[in-house]
Amino acid sequence: MIAVSAAFDSGNIEVVRCEAPDDIVLRIARDAHSDFFQWFHFRLSGARGEACTVRIIGLEASAYPGGWPGYEAVTSHDRATWVRSPSRYDAAADGGTLTIEVTPLHDHVWLAYFAPYSMERHHELVARMMVLPGVQARVLGASLEGQPIDCLTIGEGPRQVWLYARQHPGESMAEWWMEGALEMLTDPADEVAAALRAGATIHCIPNMNPDGSCRGHLRTNAAGVNLNREWAGPTAERSPEVLAALAAMTATGVDFAIDVHGDEAIPQVFIAGFEGIPGITERQLGLLGRYKETLARATPDFQTRIGYPPAAAGRANLTMSTNQLAERFGCLAMTLEMPFKDHDDNADSRAGWSPERSKGLARSCLAVLAEMLPDLR
Ligand SMILES: [Zn+2]
């Protein structure tokens, strides 16, 4: 019997019809208490060796309909290796339909919007890092549903660096990036990491939104709140995750911050800056331009031509974290966006953008930080 299940960590799908391999029709559930939806993750069972046609319908109402054209779903048989499966989007069919073709090689196959990063893997990451020399594991606070907001701190230098990810829980590539950053920062043989540990204290929050991650949300926490619109005035009732992180950042100060995200529509890696903040300085703009240009030279997996248009002077949205941090601390604070699709400047037709490339990008980002560290204060 063919069956579809999403009743597990970060699962999200609703079955409309599941009668035959060529007639599997599904919908994505909305984030609780909100209208956002786009993340999907489910298991398809009982169709070994059969050519399956999976249709996810109603997607013109999703958070980013522009994310579906040119997008291919990822599939896995071992939940470790994820590859792209042929997918096509028809905006006119059943309110917007993504059709995925997959022939399961085994009794179960998993499908997802991007390679998932489970809360179990999060806890394994924290445990693996915490036992290494020079790593301090702290709990900054708790989510609405009582999960810890974990922070791993490495290094003893005077510059205060904050790296944080997954405010938007469906952007799982952000925690893959954090895993790459933490592995590099704790590598005893890495000279760049040694320079960073000597020159900076690096605070890493691998997952800002554990509740949304477990629940299979795209964009919000358990209360349906978009955490990256809470930084001007977080509250214990709506956004304790941000309240905890901002309190910890205020205690140390911030010289440099990266908020790690994924973008649904744009097939490129890019950085969004803070150009429109009221207190913008030439020094901040100079650091921003230099960081982006140096990173583009350091790796083919980054570019500066394509991204979000910068906010007009004085018009930045201060509820967004990097604008708030750049304004409050006068620092370099950037939003890093990785694609759900691929980085078209350096495309990989088999895997698309992937966990491995997310981790590699983290190493490049940290190398540029190391180079600029002396000028950050
Ligand atoms: Zn995001």
Side-chain angles (χ1 to χ4, degrees), residues 168 171 219 228 260-262 264 337:
H168 297 147
E171 295 162 10
R219 206 162 162 79
N228 203 26
V260 192
H261 285 255
E264 290 78 0
E337 297 280 356

Side-chain angles (χ1 to χ4, degrees), residues 19-20 34 91 99 115 122 161 180 182 199 205 255 267 283 297 306 312 334 344 372:
E19 306 290 338
S34 102
T99 301
H122 166 85
V161 171
L182 284 161
I205 308 176
D255 296 308
R283 175 184 162 277
R297 279 198 303 274
I306 298 165
M334 299 172 290
D344 279 359
M372 289 177 59

Side-chain angles (χ1 to χ4, degrees), residues 259-318:
D259 178 19
V260 192
H261 285 255
D263 184 274
E264 290 78 0
I266 299 176
Q268 298 285 354
V269 177
F270 60 97
I271 278 175
F274 45 83
E275 292 88 342
I277 62 171
I280 191 79
T281 65
E282 287 300 321
R283 175 184 162 277
Q284 279 174 301
L285 286 173
L287 289 172
L288 174 62
R290 186 176 150 205
Y291 189 90
K292 291 197 294 186
E293 283 156 25
T294 311
L295 185 58
R297 279 198 303 274
T299 172
D301 276 349
F302 182 77
Q303 56 79 47
T304 57
R305 304 182 327 278
I306 298 165
Y308 303 144
R315 302 297 297 274
N317 182 346
L318 294 176

Side-chain angles (χ1 to χ4, degrees), residues 218-234:
L218 174 73
R219 206 162 162 79
T220 71
N221 69 1
V225 172
N226 176 354
L227 294 181
N228 203 26
R229 297 295 183 276
E230 290 289 303
W231 288 72

Side-chain angles (χ1 to χ4, degrees), residues 70-150:
Y71 165 78
E72 293 196 308
V74 296
T75 61
S76 176
H77 290 94
D78 60 4
R79 306 203 307 152
T81 302
W82 295 83
V83 297
R84 302 279 168 169
S85 276
S87 311
R88 60 184 184 276
Y89 186 65
D90 181 347
D94 288 323
T97 299
L98 181 74
T99 301
I100 308 162
E101 306 288 353
V102 60
T103 301
L105 303 175
H106 298 279
D107 294 331
H108 303 307
V109 64
W110 283 261
L111 291 88
Y113 191 28
F114 193 84
Y117 200 104
S118 70
M119 286 311 299
E120 278 307 304
R121 190 178 182 102
H122 166 85
H123 288 292
E124 285 159 12
L125 175 66
V126 170
R128 181 157 61 94
M129 292 299 146
M130 145 194 109
V131 298
L132 298 174
V135 178
Q136 185 197 2
R138 295 191 283 155
V139 177
L140 303 182
S143 70
L144 279 176
E145 295 185 307
Q147 295 193 69
I149 306 302
D150 285 311

